[in-house]
Amino acid sequence: MAAGEEALTSGEPMHIDSITLREVRMRLLHPFETSFGITEDRRIVIVEVRDGATTGYGEVTAAEGPFYSHETPETAWHVLSDFVIPRTVGRDFRCAADFASVVDGIRGHNMAKAGVETALWDLEAHQAGVPLWKLLGGQREEIDCGVSIGIQSSVDQLLEKIQTEVDAGYRRIKMKIKPGRDVEDVAAVRDAFPDMLLMADANSAYSLDDFELLKKLDGYDLMMIEQPLHWEDIVDHAALGRAIRTPICLDESIHSADDARKAIQVGACRIVNLKLGRVGGHRSARAVHDICRERGVPVWCGGMLESGIGRAHNVAMSSLDNFTLPGDVSASKRYWEEDLIVPEVEVAPDGRIGMPTGSGIGFRPRVDFIDAITHRHRLFAP
């Protein structure tokens, strides 16, 4: 039985009276650079599902361009409006986990689907009167937090940025790398922070032709190198994994529990990054988590520059017991002048986030603020 299926089976089903899509636009406090490019402004699709007086919120985590994924806010709006929501609104759901069977015939577009699916989980948890993390089967009452550092204009700026995050208590640093900004940057960071948990994220920027360069990273005691090769590949990752000492973590290659099973089976990774949007929501994320746990492969929560709504869902997901490595679940104030939720997500001085105690995601959406920054919206009702 999938996570959460027992929660409402003995009660009233959820009847989806309406679904509202909103696209909000938010500027990051600081530009964020990866091997894909630089992000300054986020277009975020927020999904609101309603059953009577009870509302659940989800977020589409697609980036603005088709670089991390084929999905964008524009494609998500289209797929949600024309395919996903017409199959969902007006329907009764025994529990949020049943949503998968409604949209299984729609190929791909996991981030679009996850926007609705996560909102249904929030709704179900509110109706059950329990925190979402408990409904998901979470065991951790607090989680260790890491932080992702984009490519900086200079090594000095990179070291300064990392020092700020270390001083804030974060327990792991992930630094983005790309050709020309890799080994020397990693060496400088390791020299300045010899004992820090450090990982490098390549976002598919390399190939097996770069073997000798990637091999050099073995000298810097990295926790992992994330997705160094092609985003659809597991064969070359397996070959690389046999040749280097640094553990390989897969991100873009893993879209389902079956992907995780195959990647682990061929030796393509020793760690998996779990992102709710990439795998299609909480039900699929739990399935990936369980496959990895059964095979002794740890998982951690990756970030997609989410607003507080998506961040709150990440917090809940990270309470599952195989999230044994610090995730990219950092404080709202690192990204936004104002976030979409109250209270904002905060990280304690010891680098941890405690699980919320309220029902649902445990944070209240700032409806007036969301309305004020909405660039388009659409209401769907039967």
Side-chain angles (χ1 to χ4, degrees):
M1 183 169 289
E5 285 194 29
E6 296 179 350
L8 290 181
T9 53
S10 61
E12 293 297 320
M14 295 180 290
H15 179 76
I16 308 307
D17 296 328
S18 66
I19 298 178
T20 301
L21 294 184
R22 292 183 176 85
E23 182 192 316
V24 301
R25 301 191 181 181
M26 302 172 70
R27 168 150 288 197
L28 292 164
L29 285 175
H30 308 285
F32 191 81
E33 182 175 354
T34 72
S35 61
F36 302 134
I38 300 173
T39 300
E40 294 185 80
D41 295 290
R42 289 286 282 124
R43 295 173 56 193
I44 300 172
V45 176
I46 301 298
V47 181
E48 172 191 310
V49 298
R50 183 177 291 272
D51 176 1
T54 308
T55 304
Y57 285 87
E59 177 172 332
V60 176
T61 59
E64 286 64 41
F67 308 115
Y68 172 84
S69 160
H70 65 275
E71 294 187 76
T72 68
E74 205 65 44
T75 67
W77 192 277
H78 159 56
V79 170
L80 288 169
S81 298
D82 294 340
F83 301 101
V84 175
I85 291 177
R87 298 182 182 210
T88 308
V89 71
R91 181 183 289 267
D92 289 341
F93 287 90
R94 183 175 57 98
C95 60
D98 287 346
F99 172 76
S101 64
V102 174
V103 295
D104 271 349
I106 301 171
R107 294 193 183 188
H109 299 283
N110 282 353
M111 292 180 178
K113 294 174 184 176
V116 174
E117 197 258 16
T118 55
L120 289 170
W121 279 98
D122 184 31
L123 177 65
E124 179 180 348
H126 279 303
Q127 290 188 334
V130 299
L132 174 59
W133 65 274
K134 288 189 175 181
L135 184 65
L136 294 171
Q139 302 294 317
R140 301 177 182 277
E141 295 191 359
E142 59 181 9
I143 58 173
D144 291 339
C145 301
V147 68
S148 181
I149 306 291
I151 296 167
Q152 304 298 306
S153 60
S154 68
V155 171
D156 287 343
Q157 186 174 357
L158 174 63
L159 296 178
E160 181 181 349
K161 186 86 169 177
I162 291 174
Q163 186 64 62
T164 297
E165 305 303 349
V166 170
D167 291 343
Y170 287 101
R171 292 172 166 259
R172 184 270 293 148
I173 298 293
K174 178 173 81 173
M175 56 182 292
K176 298 286 187 176
I177 61 172
K178 66 178 182 179
R181 297 298 306 274
D182 38 49
V183 177
E184 290 185 5
D185 284 19
V186 171
V189 172
R190 178 51 80 206
D191 184 61
F193 301 93
D195 300 320
M196 181 178 61
L197 294 177
L198 179 65
M199 59 178 289
D201 183 6
N203 289 119
S204 304
Y206 301 90
S207 73
L208 281 183
D209 292 339
D210 301 303
F211 167 75
E212 293 299 332
L213 182 149
L214 295 171
K215 177 77 173 167
K216 291 178 182 178
L217 294 176
D218 280 346
Y220 300 103
D221 192 28
L222 297 177
M223 297 174 65
M224 67 191 87
I225 179 171
E226 183 180 354
Q227 198 72 41
L229 309 180
H230 194 275
W231 57 88
E232 291 181 325
D233 170 75
I234 62 171
V235 174
D236 284 354
H237 276 110
L240 181 64
R242 290 190 294 269
I244 65 175
R245 187 175 69 252
T246 303
I248 291 176
C249 169
L250 288 185
D251 174 3
E252 289 99 314
S253 299
I254 307 299
H255 299 276
S256 67
D258 207 40
D259 286 345
R261 177 186 62 80
K262 293 172 182 176
I264 296 167
Q265 182 173 317
V266 302
C269 63
R270 287 192 270 162
I271 301 168
V272 168
N273 169 333
L274 249 177
K275 291 178 179 172
L276 272 173
R278 192 189 71 236
V279 301
H282 285 296
R283 184 179 188 271
S284 179
R286 179 58 188 261
V288 174
H289 166 278
D290 290 352
I291 284 283
C292 291
R293 181 182 58 190
E294 290 164 8
R295 288 156 176 76
V297 172
V299 300
W300 59 279
C301 179
M304 288 291 293
L305 302 177
E306 294 94 343
S307 81
I309 291 171
R311 198 169 302 273
H313 279 284
N314 286 345
V315 169
M317 178 181 70
S318 299
S319 69
L320 298 173
D321 60 355
N322 195 38
F323 280 85
T324 56
L325 302 175
D328 289 338
V329 190
S330 44
S332 297
K333 67 182 181 182
R334 286 198 69 249
Y335 298 98
W336 315 113
E337 182 176 346
E338 293 184 79
D339 207 344
L340 304 188
I341 56 171
V342 288
E344 295 188 350
V345 176
E346 295 184 350
V347 175
D350 65 354
R352 292 187 169 100
I353 294 176
M355 289 296 122
T357 58
S359 67
I361 59 174
F363 300 83
R364 181 169 57 83
R366 298 174 58 197
V367 176
D368 290 345
F369 180 55
I370 292 171
D371 284 344
I373 62 172
T374 292
H375 280 246
R376 58 174 167 170
H377 77 279
R378 184 174 176 185
L379 172 66
F380 300 81

